[in-house]
């Protein structure tokens, strides 16, 4: 029976997993990871659905929808990668193929050397999944009963189960929720419960779909810290889909952007902002109504409503200098920074590529 202070793994196994992590590779366009270094490997993967649409009385039109179109990328063991894109881009379809729920229409896909579609049960013991709005918990049972069932399903050694459960319960603040039926949990509480459930069996790879949805600011920070610690201690490979760029900024050194089933960008988040020429917004509340703030270029005032003003500045630039200048020269009451809308950034990238 394996026991460890860090998620039930032996020190040798943990060290070998962490040592496989790698940073974001450099390059131009879509960046690849060196062949042979991948824990997750996709090569020309496609997924096509046949959709039937009613066009009249007893008449249906059949058309083919290409949800994933020649997708190729590699994720090294131990990486934390953000996988983002607008709704309908193909993110969930990709995750479902990686977990074996869907079978690719073409191309090659491997996770830890396993074909998910052919050996789904074998792979299930090595992966954890949190599917956003779809829970893996038993709806009418208390939370602790779901964990006990997973203990039996995954055949987790008792000592390892207790250790992992205790840590999840403590760090995700689940102690008061263990005897509450899942249907009575709020969305944020259930998301924390789902994350714990996905980690009880020490998965080597973790797929997260909107893991901080429904969480308040404090809970988001704790979940992010929890995931960072998990990755650092256990070398768990994490593929994260989210619309919250702060999740990406605080957790991932690498981000992939998918749109219309195609990989549009693979690299650092800063490079994404530069590629999409995105802007952040500084919202400033002054003591009284004043003329537009004289902001240093490239920042500029884009909107004024009474004492409130909105200033746009490049997303790749720091807000510190701009905030310091405004605070020194204007009667400041409050301010906040709004992150760019990732969908607008991707839409701009897509439009530019289509027009090229």
């Amino acid at each position: 029976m394996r026991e460890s202070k860090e998620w039930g793994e032996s020190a040798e196994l943990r060290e070998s997993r962490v040592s496989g992590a790698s940073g974001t590779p450099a390059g131009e366009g879509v960046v690849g990871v060196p062949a042979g270094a991948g824990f997750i490997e996709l090569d020309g993967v496609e997924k096509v659905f046949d959709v039937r649409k009613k066009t009249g009385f007893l008449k249906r039109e059949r058309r083919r929808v290409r949800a994933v179109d020649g997708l190729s990328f590699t994720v090294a063991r131990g990486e934390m990668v953000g996988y983002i894109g607008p709704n309908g881009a193909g993110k969930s379809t990709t995750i479902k193929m990686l977990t074996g729920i869907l079978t690719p229409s073409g191309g090659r896909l491997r996770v830890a050397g396993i074909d998910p579609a052919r050996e789904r049960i074998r792979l299930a013991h090595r992966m954890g999944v949190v599917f956003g709005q779809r829970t893996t918990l038993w709806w009418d049972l208390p939370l602790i009963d779901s964990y006990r069932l997973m203990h039996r399903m995954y055949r987790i050694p008792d000592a390892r189960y207790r250790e992992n459960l205790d840590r999840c319960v403590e760090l995700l603040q689940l102690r008061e929720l263990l005897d509450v039926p899942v249907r009575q949990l709020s969305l944020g509480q259930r998301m924390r419960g789902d994350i714990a459930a996905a980690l009880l069996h020490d998965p080597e790879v973790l797929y997260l779909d909107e893991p901080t949805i429904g969480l308040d600011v404090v809970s988001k920070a704790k979940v992010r810290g929890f995931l960072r610690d998990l990755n650092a201690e256990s070398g768990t490979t994490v593929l994260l889909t989210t619309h919250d760029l702060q999740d990406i900024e605080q957790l991932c050194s690498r981000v992939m952007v998918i749109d219309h089933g195609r990989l549009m960008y693979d690299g650092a988040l800063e490079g994404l902002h530069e590629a999409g020429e995105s802007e952040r917004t500084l919202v400033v509340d002054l003591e009284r109504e004043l003329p537009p703030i004289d902001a240093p270029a490239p920042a500029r005032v884009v909107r004024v409503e009474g004492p409130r003003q909105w200033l746009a500045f490049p997303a790749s630039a720091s807000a510190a200098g701009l905030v310091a200048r405004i605070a020194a020269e204007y009667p400041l009451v409050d301010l906040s920074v709004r992150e760019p809308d990732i969908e607008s950034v991707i839409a701009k990238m897509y439009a530019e590529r289509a027009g090229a």
Side-chain angles (χ1 to χ4, degrees), residues 80 212 217 220-225 227-229 240 244-253 269 339:
M80 295 186 75
T212 61
V217 175
K220 282 185 178 183
K222 290 188 176 183
V223 168
R224 289 167 183 156
L227 294 173
R228 275 195 301 271
D229 291 344
L240 167 67
D244 189 338
L245 279 184
Q246 289 191 1
D247 287 345
I248 302 295
E249 290 176 339
Q250 295 187 26
L251 293 174
C252 304
S253 60
L269 183 61
E339 296 298 326

Side-chain angles (χ1 to χ4, degrees), residues 41-253:
E41 297 178 314
L42 284 80
D43 184 11
V45 171
E46 299 179 349
K47 184 58 185 178
V48 180
F49 294 99
D50 288 328
V51 179
R52 298 180 182 274
K53 182 179 179 181
K54 190 173 182 179
T55 58
F57 184 69
L58 297 179
K59 290 185 178 180
R60 291 183 180 273
E61 179 184 79
R62 177 182 173 182
R63 64 189 183 95
R64 306 198 81 190
V65 176
R66 193 172 293 274
V68 173
D69 188 6
L71 192 60
S72 299
F73 65 78
T74 306
V75 176
R77 185 186 291 273
E79 273 195 294
M80 295 186 75
V81 181
Y83 191 55
I84 61 178
N87 292 329
K91 303 187 300 297
S92 294
T93 301
T94 305
I95 298 298
K96 289 176 181 177
M97 288 191 290
L98 288 170
T99 56
I101 295 174
L102 293 177
T103 302
S105 303
R108 179 180 180 276
L109 188 156
R110 294 290 185 275
V111 179
I114 299 172
D115 183 340
R118 292 177 178 270
E119 300 181 88
R120 182 179 174 185
I121 295 178
R122 179 185 170 200
L123 183 61
H125 289 270
R126 304 180 67 174
M127 70 179 184
V129 187
V130 178
F131 271 126
Q133 303 286 349
R134 297 186 179 182
T135 184
T136 56
L137 305 171
W138 276 261
W139 195 244
D140 293 313
L141 296 180
L143 187 58
I144 188 62
D145 285 353
S146 288
Y147 295 155
R148 288 168 180 159
L149 285 167
M150 290 179 180
H151 178 199
R152 298 289 296 275
M153 288 171 56
Y154 285 100
R155 299 174 183 172
I156 307 170
D158 293 342
R160 182 174 160 200
Y161 166 75
R162 287 193 299 270
E163 184 179 346
N164 288 353
L165 179 62
D166 288 345
R167 183 173 184 185
C168 287
V169 166
E170 178 184 355
L171 295 180
L172 295 173
Q173 297 183 328
L174 298 172
R175 187 74 59 190
E176 304 298 323
L177 305 176
L178 291 177
D179 295 321
V180 179
V182 172
R183 56 183 165 78
Q184 294 181 13
L185 300 177
S186 69
L187 176 59
Q189 291 170 337
R190 183 176 59 73
M191 287 301 298
R192 284 183 280 146
D194 270 310
I195 292 173
L199 295 172
L200 290 177
H201 60 293
D202 289 328
E204 296 176 56
V205 59
L206 182 62
Y207 303 110
L208 298 173
D209 182 9
E210 299 285 355
T212 61
I213 189 171
L215 301 183
D216 57 39
V217 175
V218 175
S219 297
K220 282 185 178 183
K222 290 188 176 183
V223 168
R224 289 167 183 156
F226 176 81
L227 294 173
R228 275 195 301 271
D229 291 344
L230 172 70
N231 175 256
E233 295 173 4
S234 302
T236 305
T237 305
V238 178
L239 191 62
L240 167 67
T241 69
T242 180
H243 285 88
D244 189 338
L245 279 184
Q246 289 191 1
D247 287 345
I248 302 295
E249 290 176 339
Q250 295 187 26
L251 293 174
C252 304
S253 60

Side-chain angles (χ1 to χ4, degrees), residues 279 295-301 312-314 317:
E279 294 181 318
R300 67 190 190 284
V301 176
F313 63 98

